Structure formats: structure tokens, C-alpha cells
Amino acid sequence: MAKQKGTKLIANNKKAFHDYFIEEKYEAGIALHGTEVKSLRMGRCSVKESFIRIDNGEVMIYGMHISPYEKGNIFNKDPLRIRKLLLHRHEINKMQGRIAEKGYTLVPLQVYFRDSLVKVEIGLAKGKKLYDKRQDIAKKDQRREAERDFKVRNLG
């Protein structure tokens, strides 16, 4: 099978950008079994309710749902099983130091194919307060109004 070039998005976590300030981004590989990769190629993945923890120096993703492959029968794994993320030791140590600070957490931002490998983009995030969310909503509304006014002016 020929290796594909480029990136193909599988799943996106829009909720993360709404609930958190993303300060740093990391790219991690993910340890998967064969039928899970086939299911991902079909786009059957969700990272909406998932989160990431560091246990005993290993980065694990919890709650990432990969639907079972239809033709996989006995080879299918649990769709919500805990999966190991593959990162360099210095990246893990850096993340652990930042998470020790109050208010920081790790959230998955997107899952995608880079060439033929499955990658997860991880964000080092700080939680937003309610007033931060209100400010974001106000900015979006303001931008939408400006775009609408611009469109009306150009049409007339």
C-alpha cells in the first residue's frame, strides 16, 4: 500500500477552544490496534468528552471514542478504552511541570492522519471563567455584525 502524503483531519474538538485558553500545542502519536486504524480511516472518532492525564510518566487519553470496525468481529477493542500517547520524554517532563501549576490541564484538540500515521494534537490549556466566555461571544457577535454590514454595503 502506498503511503499518502499530507494531513487529513479525522476529528476536531471545537469545545476545547470555547472552554479553555490554549497556550501550547503538542503533536503526539497514539498506540492503536489494527481495527481501530481502519475505523479511523472511515472517520469514526470523537474527542468531545475526552481528556488527557499523565500516569507514571506515560501520557494517556481517556474517553476518546473510536467506533468498532464493522468487519472486525472478534478483533475489535473497547471503543472507550484508555490509549497511550507517544511523546518524547522531555515533552512529557515539560507538560508535567506546567500541569503542576494551578489551573492547567491537557486537552485533545484534534485527531488527524499525518502521511499514514495517526496523530493527536494536544493543547496545554487554562480554563476560562464565565466572563471570559461572555467576552468571546461578544467579540464573535461584533465580528458577525461587521461582516453583515460589509456584505450589505458591497451588494448595494
Side-chain angles (χ1 to χ4, degrees):
M1 190 169 131
K3 288 196 174 187
Q4 298 173 345
K5 296 291 178 192
T7 60
K8 179 188 168 213
L9 185 66
I10 301 167
N12 203 357
N13 191 357
K14 293 178 184 173
K15 191 177 176 191
F17 292 97
H18 182 263
D19 293 341
Y20 300 98
F21 292 114
I22 308 298
E23 298 198 1
E24 288 181 40
K25 292 180 181 179
Y26 298 94
E27 182 181 71
I30 184 166
L32 297 170
H33 291 277
T35 55
E36 291 176 324
V37 177
K38 289 184 178 202
S39 190
L40 286 173
R41 288 204 187 283
M42 296 168 63
R44 308 262 176 125
C45 179
S46 174
V47 288
K48 280 191 176 82
E49 286 86 34
S50 59
F51 59 96
I52 297 170
R53 282 197 184 137
I54 300 176
D55 300 324
N56 300 327
E58 293 183 336
V59 183
M60 306 295 235
I61 186 165
Y62 295 80
M64 178 179 170
H65 188 278
I66 298 177
S67 299
Y69 183 59
E70 295 98 43
K71 299 178 181 103
N73 58 41
I74 61 167
F75 298 107
N76 282 332
K77 298 289 183 188
D78 177 30
L80 289 171
R81 75 180 182 88
I82 301 165
R83 294 172 179 87
K84 184 177 177 181
L85 297 181
L86 310 170
L87 287 153
H88 292 285
R89 173 65 46 205
H90 64 90
E91 290 177 319
I92 296 171
N93 292 340
K94 189 176 178 184
M95 281 186 216
Q96 252 178 333
R98 294 295 296 270
I99 290 173
E101 296 176 31
K102 190 166 171 33
Y104 281 100
T105 187
L106 291 173
V107 290
L109 302 176
Q110 59 185 8
V111 180
Y112 55 93
F113 280 106
R114 160 134 324 128
D115 298 334
S116 63
L117 303 174
V118 180
K119 300 288 184 178
V120 179
E121 188 175 53
I122 300 171
L124 184 68
K126 195 168 188 126
K128 283 186 181 178
K129 305 284 188 259
L130 183 62
Y131 57 85
D132 292 328
K133 291 179 188 176
R134 285 187 193 138
Q135 286 175 347
D136 282 354
I137 291 168
K139 283 180 187 173
K140 282 181 186 173
D141 288 343
Q142 207 171 24
R143 187 171 43 85
R144 206 174 294 124
E145 282 291 322
E147 286 175 1
R148 195 175 298 132
D149 291 344
F150 182 73
K151 195 178 218 180
V152 169
R153 261 189 263 130
N154 284 346
L155 290 175

